[in-house]
């Protein structure tokens, strides 16, 4: 039997996807669990598996649809009534709708999504964070998304709610910085869960490049326990996407994301969609990032120029890490592709080094 940690993790959205994978990691490490979700039978089966495989005996299942009014308060009340202290809160539950906002999506469905992604997450955070701060101990993982920092046509409400979670999390991290409580924003790319089907979407272009939920959960788990402010699971593509989001024109980002959410029955050739993404990332990092900083630098005061030189140094380190990762992934590619990537890497280094010398 697992000796346990003596601590409890509460995971919303635990019945499937990233939430289920996170619950598994907590169970493996001996945490008691509170599993919250809409599918009680699935959560009960999951609890039985954890008890059998990992010896975890203290598992509480709470059936709750967090898109309903006061659902978060009810979860909190049930936890209090059972005398459970939540040491780690994972706000994983979330959802989306799919379609043109003006003409295709349903307002009642969108209202539930806003309640689930925004109101329930905020209330769960407020209720449990207050107790954590009072104890001066605790950790919270918030499911944001890489689309929290980009436009996301055809899932516009979803992206807007994730931007809210991202901003809320980073603001609260500052507010609790003098405590022993930490908060981490999880920013995954599109992941192989049932997310798109539950949103009512057909098979989309983005589904040809989905991340593994077990990988996402593993990276998130490590970052949470380290108390990191954010985590972007996966490799070079995901990290480059964040960088591009900060420096690219919003119109360009919106167009690219729109292509990702286009049904596969309407997509262009695989060659056009994949090669454009790969080399777009490279040029985006090398050119867009560098010249965006150049523009800001040239129009700044001496004090601000010093600040931009510092930012450029950090950006260069980030960019070089991305290119080093990409070097490994391209080691077996054709010579021409490797030469092209090496040229992009050289441009990025020169832009970021020489301009701010």
């Amino acid at each position: 039997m697992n000796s346990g940690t003596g601590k409890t993790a509460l995971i919303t959205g635990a019945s499937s996807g990233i939430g289920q994978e996170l619950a598994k990691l907590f169970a493996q490490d001996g945490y008691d669990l509170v599993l919250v979700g809409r599918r009680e039978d699935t959560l009960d089966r999951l609890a039985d598996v954890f008890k059998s495989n990992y010896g975890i005996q203290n598992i509480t299942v709470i059936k709750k649809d967090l898109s309903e009014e006061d659902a978060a308060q009810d979860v909190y009340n049930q936890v209090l009534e059972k005398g459970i202290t939540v040491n780690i809160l994972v706000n994983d539950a979330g959802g989306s709708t799919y379609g043109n906002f003006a003409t295709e999506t349903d307002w009642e469905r969108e209202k539930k999504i806003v309640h689930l992604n925004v109101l329930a997450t905020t209330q769960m955070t407020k209720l449990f964070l207050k107790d954590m701060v009072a104890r001066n101990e605790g950790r919270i993982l918030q499911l944001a998304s890489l689309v929290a920092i980009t436009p996301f046509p055809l899932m516009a409400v979803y992206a807007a709610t994730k931007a809210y979670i991202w901003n809320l999390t980073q603001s609260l991290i500052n507010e609790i910085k003098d405590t022993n409580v930490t908060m981490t924003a999880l920013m995954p790319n599109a992941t192989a869960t049932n997310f798109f089907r539950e949103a009512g979407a057909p098979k989309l272009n983005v589904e040809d490049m989905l991340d593994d939920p077990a990988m996402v959960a593993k990276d998130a788990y490590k970052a949470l326990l380290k108390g990191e402010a954010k985590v972007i699971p996966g490799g070079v593509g995901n990290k480059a996407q964040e960088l591009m989001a900060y420096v690219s024109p919003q119109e360009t980002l919106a167009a690219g994301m729109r292509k990702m959410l286009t049904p596969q029955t309407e997509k262009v050739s695989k060659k056009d969609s994949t090669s454009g993404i790969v080399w777009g990332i490279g040029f985006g990092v090398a050119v867009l990032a560098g010249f965006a900083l150049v523009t800001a630098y040239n129009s700044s005061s001496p004090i601000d120029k010093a600040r931009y030189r510092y930012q450029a140094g950090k950006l260069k380190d980030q960019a070089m890490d991305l290119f080093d990762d990409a070097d490994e992934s391209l080691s077996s590619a054709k010579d021409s592709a490797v030469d092209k990537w090496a040229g992009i890497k050289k441009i990025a280094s020169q832009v970021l080094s020489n301009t701010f010398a």
Side-chain angles (χ1 to χ4, degrees):
M1 181 180 293
N2 197 320
S3 59
T5 64
K7 295 185 176 183
T8 299
L10 185 156
I11 303 105
T12 68
S15 58
S16 63
I18 298 171
Q20 185 176 115
E21 294 295 338
L22 282 164
K24 179 179 178 181
L25 293 172
F26 282 111
Q28 288 176 336
D29 281 352
Y31 284 84
D32 295 336
L33 298 174
V34 178
L35 306 178
V36 181
R38 294 173 298 168
R39 296 186 285 273
E40 187 174 17
D41 55 343
T42 301
L43 294 177
D44 285 337
R45 288 196 298 271
L46 196 61
D48 290 340
V49 170
F50 291 162
K51 291 175 181 178
S52 175
N53 290 355
Y54 310 120
I56 305 301
Q57 298 305 308
N58 296 324
I59 301 179
T60 301
V61 169
I62 298 178
K63 179 185 178 181
K64 185 60 59 178
D65 182 350
L66 289 172
S67 69
E68 297 175 350
E69 191 71 24
D70 295 325
Q73 183 70 58
D74 186 55
V75 170
Y76 178 76
N77 292 344
Q78 289 191 50
V79 168
L80 284 188
E81 290 169 3
K82 297 176 186 298
I84 298 172
T85 297
V86 172
N87 306 98
I88 296 179
L89 170 65
V90 176
N91 279 317
D92 175 78
S96 181
T97 57
Y98 175 84
N100 188 296
F101 177 81
T103 60
E104 296 176 347
T105 55
D106 176 70
W107 167 242
E108 291 302 320
R109 178 80 186 278
E110 284 170 331
K111 185 166 65 173
K112 281 183 171 292
I113 295 301
V114 172
H115 196 293
L116 173 62
N117 292 0
V118 175
L119 295 181
T121 297
T122 303
Q123 191 172 20
M124 289 285 288
T125 300
K126 189 172 187 68
L127 292 168
F128 287 100
L129 179 61
K130 183 177 180 180
D131 291 344
M132 291 178 181
V133 170
R135 296 194 311 268
N136 199 29
E137 174 273 336
R139 300 184 187 279
I140 297 178
L141 181 68
Q142 308 279 46
L143 183 59
S145 171
L146 270 177
V147 302
I149 55 174
T150 71
F152 208 43
L154 301 181
M155 284 191 170
V157 171
Y158 172 78
T161 63
K162 291 304 178 178
Y164 172 88
I165 292 173
W166 163 251
N167 196 295
L168 175 71
T169 301
Q170 297 309 310
S171 297
L172 296 182
I173 287 171
N174 176 267
E175 292 185 13
I176 62 176
K177 62 184 177 63
D178 295 325
T179 74
N180 290 323
V181 181
T182 66
M183 194 175 295
T184 303
L186 171 57
M187 301 178 72
N189 209 331
T191 306
T193 66
N194 202 38
F195 171 78
F196 293 107
R197 301 294 81 76
E198 290 185 350
K203 190 77 170 179
L204 305 174
N205 289 339
V206 70
E207 294 180 71
D208 284 340
M209 52 190 80
L210 298 178
D211 285 338
D212 177 16
M215 178 277 293
V216 172
K218 184 177 180 180
D219 285 358
Y221 187 73
K222 290 179 180 178
L224 171 69
L225 296 186
K226 290 179 181 178
E228 296 177 358
K230 70 174 181 180
V231 53
I232 300 174
V236 59
N238 294 345
K239 295 169 186 175
Q241 185 171 322
E242 182 204 20
L243 189 60
M244 289 178 67
Y246 291 134
V247 300
S248 300
Q250 292 296 295
E251 296 86 349
T252 301
L253 289 173
M257 291 299 182
R258 178 66 179 264
K259 289 180 181 179
M260 292 298 96
L261 289 186
T262 297
Q264 291 190 358
T265 54
E266 302 175 22
K267 73 177 182 179
V268 294
S269 69
K270 186 174 181 181
K271 177 181 178 182
D272 291 339
S273 61
T274 56
S275 63
I277 292 168
V278 171
W279 297 116
I281 287 173
F283 284 111
V285 173
V287 181
L288 293 175
F291 287 106
L293 278 174
V294 169
T295 301
Y297 179 84
N298 289 336
S299 61
S300 298
S301 67
I303 293 177
D304 285 336
K305 284 184 177 181
R307 177 168 60 87
Y308 279 116
R309 282 196 294 270
Y310 171 74
Q311 290 179 343
K314 292 179 66 177
L315 179 58
K316 179 186 176 184
D317 290 341
Q318 277 187 302
M320 292 305 100
D321 286 343
L322 295 177
F323 286 120
D324 287 342
D325 289 344
D327 284 342
E328 296 180 8
S329 67
L330 289 172
S331 60
S332 60
K334 294 180 180 179
D335 290 342
S336 59
V338 174
D339 290 343
K340 186 181 293 185
W341 188 261
I344 295 172
K345 181 177 178 180
K346 183 177 180 180
I347 293 171
S349 180
Q350 290 174 343
V351 167
L352 293 170
S353 295
N354 297 339
T355 304
F356 300 94

